């Protein structure tokens, strides 16, 4: 669908003029491969004295927003992936994840030429959070932990859509790599050697999301997951 003048004006408020682009380019694939290899290297470097190693899936909702854009508000998007986690003892551990995350925001603006506009910006990322965890000794099969760490993300797509239905591809306006910091808390219910858990986290972008401007991604996520312990 061709984007109208009103639609393009709305997109510019957040990410500049849209450009035609493929959804996933060769350069993106190379970056994802490098990121995945880096993740495997870090996972393989876990200290030999680690008390246990667990893997599992996670899925949930991310409420994305853009800082630096006064008219932006949060929008919900899917997030999910998998992780490998090591525990050094009952109180400390580390987790490396590979996640798909839908970010972006809703934006309400008033353009002089086009009038009031409502735009939804959808940004897709594959990201690799590495968090360090600390918590209390499990009691009554329940454990509580806090966690924090850096996040490396690669953009794989960007779309902008107006209330009228006009859509434009803005991937070329989005920076291909993003760094951020995540903090959060976890509630885990132990079931033998395995467990189920809920994570509540907030991610703050450390680098700009777009090539122009100083808007940064941020988001509140709630996910559920399962842990399967490997080995004895």
């Amino acid at each position: 669908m061709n984007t109208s003048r009103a639609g393009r004006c709305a997109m510019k408020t957040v990410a500049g003029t849209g450009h035609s682009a493929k959804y996933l380019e060769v350069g993106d694939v190379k970056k994802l491969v490098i990121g995945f290899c880096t993740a495997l290297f870090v996972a393989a470097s876990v200290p030999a004295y680690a008390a246990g190693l667990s893997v599992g899936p996670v899925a949930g909702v991310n409420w994305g927003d853009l800082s630096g854009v006064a008219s932006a508000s949060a929008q919900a998007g899917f997030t999910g992936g998998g992780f490998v986690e090591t525990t050094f003892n009952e109180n400390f551990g580390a987790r490396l994840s590979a996640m798909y995350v839908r970010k972006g925001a809703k934006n309400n603006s008033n353009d002089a030429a086009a009038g009031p506009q409502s735009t939804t910006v959808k940004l897709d990322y594959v990201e690799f959070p590495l968090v360090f965890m600390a918590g209390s000794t499990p009691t009554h099969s329940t454990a509580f932990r806090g966690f924090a760490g850096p996040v490396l993300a690669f953009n794989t797509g960007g779309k902008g859509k107006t209330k009228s239905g006009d859509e434009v591809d803005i991937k070329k306006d989005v920076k291909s790599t993003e760094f951020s910091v995540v903090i959060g808390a976890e509630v885990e219910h132990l079931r033998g050697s395995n467990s189920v858990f809920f994570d509540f986290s907030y991610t703050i972008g450390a680098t700009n999301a777009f090539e122009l401007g100083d808007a940064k991604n941020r988001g509140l996520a709630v996910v559920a997951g399962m842990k399967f312990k490997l080995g004895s």
Side-chain angles (χ1 to χ4, degrees), residues 93-108:
R95 179 192 298 164
L96 176 65
S97 305
M99 302 285 291
Y100 161 80
V101 185
R102 166 62 62 82
K103 302 182 182 182
K106 293 181 179 179
N107 181 58
N108 297 309

Side-chain angles (χ1 to χ4, degrees), residues 23 122-124 155-160 168-172 174:
Y23 192 73
K122 300 178 180 180
L123 306 177
D124 297 316
N155 177 262
T156 60
K159 299 284 186 180
V168 62
D169 192 326
I170 60 172
K171 186 178 185 300
K172 289 295 187 182
V174 183

Side-chain angles (χ1 to χ4, degrees), residues 149-232:
V151 183
L152 172 63
F154 301 101
N155 177 262
T156 60
K159 299 284 186 180
K161 187 175 184 180
T162 65
K163 188 176 181 180
S164 62
D166 293 327
E167 188 174 78
V168 62
D169 192 326
I170 60 172
K171 186 178 185 300
K172 289 295 187 182
D173 299 307
V174 183
K175 287 195 172 182
S176 60
T177 305
E178 178 184 73
F179 294 94
S180 55
V181 176
V182 61
I183 57 175
E186 177 178 287
V187 180
E188 181 181 10
H189 179 64
L190 307 175
R191 300 175 62 86
S193 60
N194 303 319
S195 64
V196 295
F197 65 92
F198 293 91
D199 278 2
F200 308 86
S201 63
Y202 184 66
T203 303
I204 307 168
T207 56
N208 295 338
F210 301 100
E211 296 293 345
L212 300 177
D214 58 358
K216 295 179 175 63
N217 281 306
R218 58 187 178 185
L220 175 67
V222 178
V223 302
M226 301 181 68
K227 296 182 185 179
F228 301 98
K229 191 171 183 180
L230 302 179
S232 56

Side-chain angles (χ1 to χ4, degrees), residues 23-191:
Y23 192 73
L24 186 62
E25 297 178 344
V26 174
D28 295 315
V29 176
K30 290 180 179 179
K31 290 172 184 176
L32 292 177
V33 171
I34 292 172
F36 183 70
C37 291
T38 302
L40 289 178
F41 174 78
V42 174
S45 301
V46 172
Y49 57 80
L53 194 66
S54 300
V55 297
V58 294
V61 180
N62 179 65
W63 285 273
D65 194 4
L66 288 168
S67 66
V69 181
S71 56
S73 60
Q75 71 153 351
F78 173 76
T79 181
F83 67 89
V84 57
E85 179 179 304
T86 180
T87 54
F88 304 114
N89 54 44
E90 290 185 329
N91 303 108
F92 298 98
R95 179 192 298 164
L96 176 65
S97 305
M99 302 285 291
Y100 161 80
V101 185
R102 166 62 62 82
K103 302 182 182 182
K106 293 181 179 179
N107 181 58
N108 297 309
S109 61
N110 191 1
D111 185 84
Q117 296 294 310
S118 177
T119 310
T120 300
V121 176
K122 300 178 180 180
L123 306 177
D124 297 316
Y125 291 86
V126 173
E127 64 179 31
F128 301 91
L130 175 60
V131 299
F132 298 92
M133 314 176 72
S136 59
T137 301
T139 58
H140 304 291
S141 300
T142 302
F144 300 91
R145 299 184 182 88
F147 58 84
V151 183
L152 172 63
F154 301 101
N155 177 262
T156 60
K159 299 284 186 180
K161 187 175 184 180
T162 65
K163 188 176 181 180
S164 62
D166 293 327
E167 188 174 78
V168 62
D169 192 326
I170 60 172
K171 186 178 185 300
K172 289 295 187 182
D173 299 307
V174 183
K175 287 195 172 182
S176 60
T177 305
E178 178 184 73
F179 294 94
S180 55
V181 176
V182 61
I183 57 175
E186 177 178 287
V187 180
E188 181 181 10
H189 179 64
L190 307 175
R191 300 175 62 86

